[in-house]
Amino acid sequence: MSAATTRSRTPDRLCVEAVDLARAAAEEAAAPGVVGEHVSAVADGDRVVTHFFECKEPGYRGWRWAVTVARASRAKVVTLDETVLLPGPDALLAPEWVPWSERLRPGDMGPGDLLPTEAEDLRLEPGYSGEDAPPPNSVLAADAVTPQNLAELVEAEDAGPEEDLAPEGGAAGRGAPGASGAGSGTAGSGAGGSGAAGSGVLPTRGTIASVAEELGMRRARVLSRYGLHVAADRWDEAYGAKTPMAQAAPAPCVSCGFLLPLAGSLRQAFGVCGNEFSPADGHVVSLAYGCGGHSEAAIMPKPPRPAPPVLDSMGADAFPLRPAPDSGSVPAAGPEDESEDLGHS
């Protein structure tokens, strides 16, 4: 028998010597021939010791059979508590289980795969609802742009440049009265807005360049119709309706909540995918394209909530103060049992 190990307490001598009892219990619980040598004995408490045996069963490398024995106070008989197979320090264990929602990574989805979305997915929000709170882009929102505050914004924008230019322009116009009286002098013409001296500070509002900049069209050249068709054909070939992913998709992108529409004429046929688990994430996709990550293809139901317990506080249950003499499972001790050793209690 190997030397016993302890956990900051001295193990019981009789429990430590009960190796044969522990081995018999392990062989009874295990298959024949899989219980190996005795490894150690660990004290779990007062007169409670656990014996460890090697496990020779294939596939359970490093595992040990643990048999716990105990002895009652002032008793000489060691009894069996439990037998279980436990992993050792160098045991071969399965990796920790990870839910599929945390195990899935972008790019793992293939043709025919279906990725359900949760009912309360933080990436999605209702497109329309009957709640009292208005949508963010509604005219009823607190920070919405209404005709009233739009007029105030325009007035503030128009007043800003004029106030900045008024002192300089006014000083130039009023600073040379003699020159203006002389006819078409250089100073007078500069104050009037046609001279070279004042051309760098005058506002450019109303010019074609300023209007084009406000409309987002201040570019020297834009895509021609031919360029649009070439780009559309290229996008449709990569993420279009004829791809294997779209053929196996449950629904097209036109009804998906992760689709970001484009601006301009191409929004009638294309959009940008915003689903990080989709193979087309961040790419321009055709509205006829689709994948298993469609927002409405499969929605995970909410976990059911059990009903709260119902407590009857009005009724009363009667309990006897003392149990009946014949209600126990241990028969009463007779005179002949008084001389026997005490068993495990």
Side-chain angles (χ1 to χ4, degrees):
M1 182 181 68
S2 62
T5 59
T6 62
R7 289 185 185 175
S8 70
R9 58 166 61 97
T10 303
D12 184 75
R13 181 181 61 84
L14 295 179
C15 292
V16 171
E17 295 177 353
V19 178
D20 296 337
L21 174 65
R23 178 181 293 275
E27 292 178 349
E28 181 181 358
V34 299
V35 180
E37 298 294 332
H38 183 264
V39 178
S40 62
V42 178
D44 296 326
D46 296 338
R47 297 178 298 278
V48 179
V49 174
T50 299
H51 294 268
F52 292 96
F53 299 89
E54 293 181 354
C55 180
K56 297 183 178 180
E57 188 170 358
Y60 287 85
R61 186 189 66 190
W63 288 66
R64 302 178 300 180
W65 285 100
V67 181
T68 303
V69 295
R71 181 178 66 88
S73 178
R74 299 187 303 275
K76 298 181 180 179
V77 178
V78 178
T79 58
L80 177 66
D81 278 1
E82 62 178 354
T83 303
V84 66
L85 182 62
L86 298 177
D90 56 345
L92 180 63
L93 300 175
E96 184 179 358
W97 182 80
V98 180
W100 67 267
S101 57
E102 302 177 7
R103 186 169 59 249
L104 190 64
R105 290 294 178 266
D108 294 344
M109 186 185 306
D113 296 340
L114 188 61
L115 177 62
T117 57
E118 298 181 1
E120 298 180 355
D121 197 326
L122 297 179
R123 301 171 299 170
L124 300 172
E125 64 180 4
Y128 51 88
S129 62
E131 299 180 356
D132 296 336
N137 58 347
S138 174
V139 296
L140 301 178
D143 55 348
V145 178
T146 60
Q148 290 76 14
N149 58 17
L150 181 59
E152 298 175 358
L153 293 176
V154 172
E155 292 177 1
E157 184 179 357
D158 293 341
E162 293 178 358
E163 294 176 357
D164 297 340
L165 296 174
E168 184 176 356
R174 296 188 300 268
S180 61
S184 59
T186 305
S189 63
S194 59
S199 60
V201 296
L202 290 177
T204 57
R205 176 176 296 274
T207 61
I208 297 179
S210 63
V211 175
E213 183 177 2
E214 293 181 2
L215 297 179
M217 299 185 300
R218 195 175 183 183
R219 293 180 294 170
R221 293 186 298 176
V222 296
L223 276 177
S224 63
R225 182 172 296 273
Y226 172 76
L228 291 177
H229 281 292
V230 172
D233 293 341
R234 185 172 64 253
W235 296 338
D236 188 74
E237 183 179 357
Y239 300 100
K242 297 182 180 180
T243 58
M245 182 69 73
Q247 294 292 331
C253 293
V254 67
S255 59
C256 181
F258 295 107
L259 180 71
L260 304 176
L262 296 179
S265 60
L266 290 179
R267 68 177 302 159
Q268 301 179 4
F270 295 96
V272 178
C273 179
N275 189 350
E276 61 176 334
F277 297 105
S278 173
D281 179 36
H283 294 80
V284 178
V285 297
S286 171
L287 299 184
Y289 181 75
C291 67
H294 195 282
S295 62
E296 311 304 324
I299 302 177
M300 298 178 59
K302 297 182 180 179
R305 293 185 178 181
V310 179
L311 302 178
D312 186 7
S313 58
M314 302 299 295
D317 298 331
F319 292 95
L321 298 179
R322 296 181 179 82
D326 56 348
S327 62
S329 59
V330 180
E336 64 278 0
D337 298 334
E338 296 180 354
S339 59
E340 295 184 359
D341 294 337
L342 296 176
H344 173 59
S345 59

